[in-house]
Structures are given as structure tokens and as C-alpha cells.
Amino acid sequence: MEDPAMNPISKPFMCRRAGRRRLSALMAIVMAAVLVLAGCSRSGEGGGEGGDIKVAYVGDITGANAMLGEQGAVGFEDGIAAINESGGVDGREIVVEKFDSQTDANAAQTAWRNAFATNPTAIYFSGLSSTFTAGYPTMLQRKLPVLAASSIPEAYGQDWFFSAYAEPDASARILVEAAKKFLGGDLTGKRVALVGSNTPAVVQQRPFAEQAVEEYGGKLVAAEFSESGIASFATQAQKIAAAKPDAVVTLEAGNQVVVTKDLVTAGITGPIIGTVGGASTAQLEAINAPNFIGLRDVVAVEPGTELYDVVEKRGSREKATSTYYVYGYAFATVLAAGLGACGADCGPEELAKAIHELGDLEVPNYVAPLNFEGTGSGVSSEVPFVWNPDKKAAEPAGDPIGVPGR
């Protein structure tokens, strides 16, 4: 299968406001998007007259799962920097102020309140669903566009919410679809175990995964769930192994390496399916198990991909080892494309509407275009990856798996 991330897309974005001229992009996707954004000014408004465009970043920059927030912040900032260097939006720069949710629900409440107090145009978040949940009541009150490398089920029903992840039902079902694929295309009579962490997103996905196993003719034989940031899953892994599953579906992210390695040590030899949050090159290498298959919606930042040149230029290579860097960069592109479509001074409702109407949006290192039409999730398909120890590289393990319902 050809990797879409190896082929920069040069098709232009379209400025939808009446009376605007069509602009075409001749550079790689991010530069193309930026050039269009710079040219899509609202009539009667001079570029730069309104000052900088303020956006906020909230994320788990410190704490037990700091990688999620730290790399998400660097990716978002690199994406915004590229946009600003190419003219910004309507000739105005986007400035980012960061707030640390510290992988802690109490600290997250303060971070979210402080972020909203700056009256940003939009907020980008990268971190656990538990720290995202802490800010949700404030989000409901303010209704500013919130873009996130995280999710909780109730947020998907809000017009102002945009997630890097598929909806809970689709997220769970695509994992079971992958288990079915790697068990010969049929779950009938197959024994399936579930593992995961007790985060709000995972707790909501669990019943959908259980339902999908049953609908596909499988039998759920074990389920073990733990807290985030655990040092060992050995005891739970032994219970899973005792149930003799044909496959294990993991509703995981931060615990993926610990959980998977302990499952392998306990004797699990059948397919172990991992989520997009647990399928980075670093995680696949750390697990180093032939039966672990991690689903990816993005391609790792590696030589030959669009974002590799970006991180080399920015000096961000060490902060681009996970999918969260890619999400951050992608959502900087999404935000700027939305602002380019509705104008730098458009209000929250206008901006959210513009993002929903962008259509297929090609972004660097994604395996398929993002499209938020009628949904809070832009994900349309995911690709299974495995670790090749001989080549010391992550490799595709088959064709893309379509996200159910997309």
C-alpha cells in the first residue's frame, strides 16, 4: 500500500465567501493552506488592523502523561509558526498562550478557566480525557471552538467541538474490526478479551466494544481495566491469559506499552490490537512484539514524510516522537483554514461553521483527509501498523480500515 503521507498534496483550498477570488497553492500542503489564508481577506477589512489573533493551548505538559501535552504543544506551535511566517491570516499573526493541565483534574479546571479568561478565538487541547472533562462545563458556557487530541462522548454533539479521534462508538468498533481482520476476517466463535484504562473516554467506549464483539459472533471472555500511569499490569495480564483469548482489544493510550508487554509476558500470542494513541513508532519499538498491531490515523514523523523536514527546520525532532505532535500540527492547519474561510475577525459560531464546511482537508502525515462535515471527528480511516525488528521500523500491516459510520 502506498503511504499517502509520502505524497504531498498540492490541490488548493477554496475560499467560500462570495466575491473572493480563487487562490491556488503551488507549495506543499501547509504552505499552500497558509498562502490561501493570507489571501482570503474579508471585504472592507485591512490585514493587520485588528491586531494579533489570540488562541490558547491547554494540555498535560507536565505530570504522569506529559508526553501527550508536551508534544501536542510543540506540534501546534510549529504549525502556527509556519502559518505566521507565510503571512498569517488576513495578514495578521496567530499568537498562542499555553496553560498546563498537569495530568491532574483539579489543576486542569484552573488551566481551562485561565485559558478562557484570555478570550481566545479558539482553544487547542492535547492530553487525557480526564483533564479534558475538567474543562467541559466551562466549554458549554462559552461555546468557543475547541479542537482536541482527546475526547469525551458528550462533546461530539456540540457544534463547536472538533476531535482528532473518532466518536466512542466508531473508535471501539474499528478496534474490533481490526481483531476480526487479523483473525482471518471472521469473529464467529472466537474468544476476545478487552483491556483498558479507567479514563472517561475508555469507559464510554467499553460497552460499544462489547456490543461489537457480540454482533460479529465473538465471545467476550475477559475484561481488565486499570488506572492511568500504572507501573505494572502483570496481575491483570495473567487473568487475561487464563481466559485463553484468541485476540485482545486494548482501549488504551498512555498505558499501552506497559499493558501490552505484560500481556505478551503472560503468554498472549494472538493479535493484540492497539489504539491510535498507542501506536507511535516509539511505542511499537518499546513493545517489540510481532502480535501487537497498532492502528494509526497518522504516519509517524520519519524521514521521507512531510513533517520530517518541518521538525528538522524547527529543531523539534526530539519532541515529535508520538502522534500528538502530528495532531497538534494538523489542528493548527485546521484552525487556520477555518479562519481563512470566514475571516480573521469572524465570531465563534462562524468559525465553527467554517471548519465544518471545509470538506476534505489534506494535512501532513495523515493517512486520509480530515473532514468535519456533520461531525466533531475528522477521522475517516485508520491503518494497522506493526514493528519490524530487522528493519527497526514501523510498517503497514494491511489496507486502511474504514471508520464505521464515516
Side-chain angles (χ1 to χ4, degrees):
M1 180 190 69
E2 185 179 15
D3 186 347
M6 301 296 184
N7 296 287
I9 306 299
S10 60
K11 71 176 183 180
F13 291 108
M14 188 72 72
C15 298
R16 294 182 173 82
R17 296 178 63 83
R20 304 285 165 73
R21 63 189 180 90
R22 177 179 298 178
L23 298 175
S24 62
L26 300 178
M27 303 169 64
I29 180 63
V30 175
M31 294 300 101
V34 170
L35 288 172
V36 174
L37 303 180
C40 293
S41 301
R42 302 177 91 187
S43 58
E45 293 183 357
E49 293 183 355
D52 294 333
I53 302 168
K54 295 191 300 181
V55 300
Y57 172 84
V58 180
D60 295 334
I61 300 173
T62 60
N65 285 285
M67 179 194 72
L68 283 62
E70 184 180 34
Q71 298 209 11
V74 174
F76 188 67
E77 289 177 314
D78 282 357
I80 294 297
I83 290 160
N84 288 337
E85 289 172 4
S86 294
V89 178
D90 290 351
R92 293 160 56 181
E93 288 197 350
I94 302 173
V95 295
V96 182
E97 186 171 358
K98 294 191 294 185
F99 301 87
D100 186 6
S101 47
Q102 302 177 37
T103 322
D104 178 84
N106 291 328
Q109 290 181 359
T110 301
W112 280 105
R113 285 196 297 267
N114 290 341
F116 276 108
T118 66
N119 294 315
T121 296
I123 295 178
Y124 180 66
F125 173 80
S126 182
L128 293 178
S129 56
S130 55
T131 45
F132 180 84
T133 301
Y136 190 65
T138 308
M139 296 178 218
L140 282 173
Q141 293 177 353
R142 295 295 300 274
K143 292 181 168 49
L144 293 178
V146 173
L147 303 86
S150 186
S151 66
I152 54 174
E154 50 267 42
Y156 285 101
Q158 306 297 329
D159 289 340
W160 44 261
F161 177 65
F162 305 89
S163 178
Y165 299 144
E167 291 90 338
D169 186 359
S171 292
R173 286 181 174 275
I174 197 169
L175 290 165
V176 179
E177 288 273 5
K180 176 182 175 183
K181 173 184 176 71
F182 286 94
L183 286 175
D186 188 3
L187 272 189
T188 304
K190 299 297 175 62
R191 301 167 65 85
V192 179
L194 292 180
V195 299
S197 54
N198 287 315
T199 60
V202 171
V203 170
Q204 292 289 339
Q205 290 174 19
R206 179 176 176 175
F208 294 120
E210 293 175 347
Q211 182 180 1
V213 170
E214 181 179 349
E215 287 180 1
Y216 296 154
K219 180 180 181 181
L220 184 65
V221 295
E224 292 289 334
F225 289 77
S226 59
E227 299 307 312
S228 298
I230 58 172
S232 173
F233 192 72
T235 300
Q236 297 96 320
Q238 290 170 5
K239 293 179 181 178
I240 294 291
K244 298 181 179 180
D246 295 300
V248 178
V249 171
T250 69
L251 307 175
E252 274 302 332
N255 292 341
Q256 188 73 71
V257 173
V258 171
V259 167
T260 307
K261 291 184 76 170
D262 283 346
L263 286 170
V264 173
T265 299
I268 300 296
T269 58
I272 301 173
I273 310 299
T275 72
V276 295
S280 70
T281 296
Q283 289 167 317
L284 287 166
E285 182 177 16
I287 293 167
N288 191 24
N291 59 323
F292 177 66
I293 300 107
L295 298 187
R296 286 183 173 182
D297 48 5
V298 300
V299 177
V301 181
E302 296 171 344
T305 66
E306 293 176 78
L307 285 184
Y308 188 80
D309 290 341
V310 171
V311 299
E312 289 290 287
K313 175 183 176 181
R314 303 281 172 197
S316 305
R317 187 69 187 95
E318 293 183 357
K319 301 296 185 183
T321 61
S322 78
T323 56
Y324 291 90
Y325 178 93
V326 180
Y327 295 146
Y329 199 96
F331 274 80
T333 305
V334 171
L335 174 61
L339 285 168
C342 73
D345 288 320
C346 69
E349 290 186 9
E350 283 183 287
L351 177 55
K353 184 174 184 292
I355 294 173
H356 282 301
E357 293 178 350
L358 287 172
D360 283 348
L361 188 64
E362 303 281 355
V363 291
N365 284 51
Y366 261 74
V367 301
L370 286 171
N371 190 316
F372 293 98
E373 183 177 357
T375 179
S377 168
V379 181
S380 57
S381 64
E382 297 174 3
V383 175
F385 271 74
V386 295
W387 180 251
N388 185 324
D390 296 328
K391 295 182 180 179
K392 296 187 180 304
E395 294 184 334
D399 294 333
I401 302 173
V403 174
R406 296 303 308 273

